[in-house]
Amino acid sequence: MNPARRLRTSENDERNIVRRQVERSVVDVSIIMPMFNASCWLNECLQAILLQDFTGNMELCVFDDASNDDSWTVVVGWKERLEARGISVVMSGSNYAKPKGVGYAKNKAISQSCGQFLCFQDADDVMMPERVRLQYEASVCHPNSLIGCKVERVPKGSTERYTRWINTITQDQLFTQVYTSHGPTVIMPTWFCSRSWFLRLGLFDEGGKGIPEDLLFFYQIIREGWGMARVDKCLLVYRYHEKAATQSVTEETIWKLRVDFLQERVLSQWKSFTIWNAGKLGRKLYRCLSPVNQKKDMTGGVLEENLNSLNLKEGKDYYHFN
């Protein structure tokens, strides 16, 4: 039996949201989609959701974070087609004059969902037809893990190095390369996980524009010792454009979070260390360390022999930071 089909038009009555969730049948997967001024991408995004080959129950949970374009109207226009496919549509929107940010919008979309698994979808990206099915199967096998996938970056050639890193990182490196400048090793637009697992970790930071809510949540995953895995297949078209939320996060904000996390998780456990290849960024890293950790740097950033000759193991003896 398909879930009851309802269109939410307000976020004011939280008790009403809970009551309506109880009325709905069991949902296997909730597609979580925050939305802000995304009308130019929504038709392609929603068409791809409609074409998913997953045979279980799905719902699309949209939260409109104070859009001032016709994003809401576009989604409403797809409601009948999605529901005919068996995908219930649950919508709500902000009453604020200005957007409160991606973290806030994601949390609101999650609060109105009831799926056993959460599939995070950015309104400007496009799912491959098998995305939900393959990531659902992986999540069933790994219920305490964050599941990702490979991506196709558009426009082609944009962020080429970053895209190559996303698609070639190994399973082990999902854990060992968490301190790199690239950010979460399982990138946010590909996240798929158990609902109960997600809620045990908490919700996204709601600090608003300029706050990397995905990186902060990802670090919490590491702290709690939860698993990570990736479906080694391209399941998402990941769009690059100047209006993307990630463009509002400064390099310095990311840098500080990375340094603090490296000190918390690694350097605090080591009696000594070397910053290898200490050029401009190496010197910056050294200056940003606490006085206690600065005293642990034994050779001022120079290794006499390369890592391979020393038989060192990534994730145990050294970490990538640059």
Side-chain angles (χ1 to χ4, degrees):
M1 182 172 66
N2 289 334
R5 298 162 183 171
R6 290 184 172 83
L7 178 65
R8 289 280 300 140
T9 58
S10 173
E11 68 170 276
N12 293 328
D13 192 351
E14 297 293 342
R15 290 172 299 176
N16 198 36
I17 292 176
V18 173
R19 181 179 65 80
R20 292 186 176 190
Q21 287 178 352
V22 172
E23 289 177 359
R24 279 184 272 166
S25 303
V26 174
V27 173
D28 296 311
V29 178
S30 296
I31 299 172
I32 304 300
M33 193 170 81
M35 180 173 71
F36 174 70
N37 288 353
S39 62
C40 62
W41 301 295
L42 278 170
N43 284 320
E44 190 175 6
C45 175
L46 296 172
Q47 174 72 14
I49 292 173
L50 184 71
L51 295 177
Q52 289 301 295
D53 63 12
F54 179 64
T55 57
N57 291 327
M58 288 190 290
E59 65 176 3
L60 173 62
C61 298
V62 180
F63 183 82
D64 184 13
D65 190 20
S67 294
N68 53 33
D69 65 358
D70 61 346
S71 293
W72 182 274
T73 302
V74 173
V75 178
V76 171
W78 277 88
K79 180 175 179 288
E80 185 175 351
R81 279 171 284 179
L82 289 165
E83 293 183 341
R85 158 68 174 79
I87 303 172
S88 60
V89 178
V90 188
M91 296 178 67
S92 63
S94 173
N95 293 322
Y96 294 98
K98 295 182 180 180
K100 295 196 68 176
V102 180
Y104 174 81
K106 287 174 183 172
N107 289 341
K108 282 295 185 180
I110 292 166
S111 73
Q112 67 193 30
S113 70
C114 63
Q116 296 181 59
F117 292 87
L118 305 177
C119 175
F120 290 90
Q121 174 68 28
D122 288 349
D124 53 356
D125 294 335
V126 180
M127 294 183 178
M128 300 302 188
E130 64 271 37
R131 181 193 174 187
V132 171
R133 173 174 57 84
L134 292 180
Q135 289 194 298
Y136 174 84
E137 291 171 356
S139 284
V140 169
C141 294
H142 305 282
N144 293 321
S145 295
L146 179 67
I147 308 298
C149 65
K150 294 183 177 181
V151 302
E152 175 189 340
R153 194 67 150 151
V154 294
K156 188 175 181 179
S158 58
T159 65
E160 187 173 353
R161 185 176 180 182
Y162 175 53
T163 305
R164 184 169 59 251
W165 177 78
I166 293 170
N167 291 332
T168 60
I169 193 170
T170 66
Q171 177 64 35
D172 288 342
Q173 288 172 331
L174 294 178
F175 296 90
T176 61
Q177 294 202 4
V178 297
Y179 306 101
T180 68
S181 59
H182 294 309
T185 52
V186 180
I187 65 168
M188 177 67 220
T190 71
W191 285 14
F192 195 108
C193 62
S194 158
R195 177 191 188 84
S196 60
W197 173 89
F198 178 89
L199 293 178
R200 286 202 299 272
L201 285 171
L203 296 174
F204 291 108
D205 186 286
E206 296 186 358
K209 186 176 181 180
I211 299 298
E213 83 294 331
D214 58 338
L215 183 60
L216 291 171
F217 194 90
F218 183 76
Y219 284 166
Q220 190 59 27
I221 293 172
I222 303 299
R223 290 187 181 99
E224 296 296 329
W226 295 107
M228 292 182 287
R230 186 185 66 184
V231 176
D232 281 326
K233 187 170 184 178
C234 179
L235 301 179
L236 185 78
V237 176
Y238 182 19
R239 197 183 307 275
Y240 175 81
H241 58 91
E242 293 182 354
K243 294 182 180 179
T246 54
Q247 301 298 322
S248 68
V249 183
T250 67
E251 291 183 6
E252 284 305 310
T253 296
I254 298 295
W255 175 273
K256 184 179 187 308
L257 289 172
R258 290 169 55 216
V259 172
D260 290 348
F261 196 60
L262 179 71
Q263 294 190 99
E264 172 195 335
R265 301 294 298 178
V266 179
L267 301 188
S268 63
Q269 310 300 317
W270 286 356
K271 293 182 179 180
S272 63
F273 62 88
T274 291
I275 300 175
W276 185 54
N277 191 19
K280 181 179 179 181
L281 288 178
R283 292 190 295 272
K284 178 181 178 180
L285 172 58
Y286 178 82
R287 290 194 302 269
C288 292
L289 297 178
S290 68
V292 171
N293 283 323
Q294 285 181 349
K295 293 179 181 179
K296 296 179 182 180
D297 185 8
M298 300 299 293
T299 61
V302 177
L303 280 179
E304 289 75 22
E305 300 177 88
N306 63 46
L307 295 176
N308 290 332
S309 67
L310 294 173
N311 295 316
L312 301 181
K313 183 178 180 181
E314 182 181 0
K316 178 182 177 182
D317 303 303
Y318 71 92
Y319 288 87
H320 288 278
F321 187 81
N322 200 355

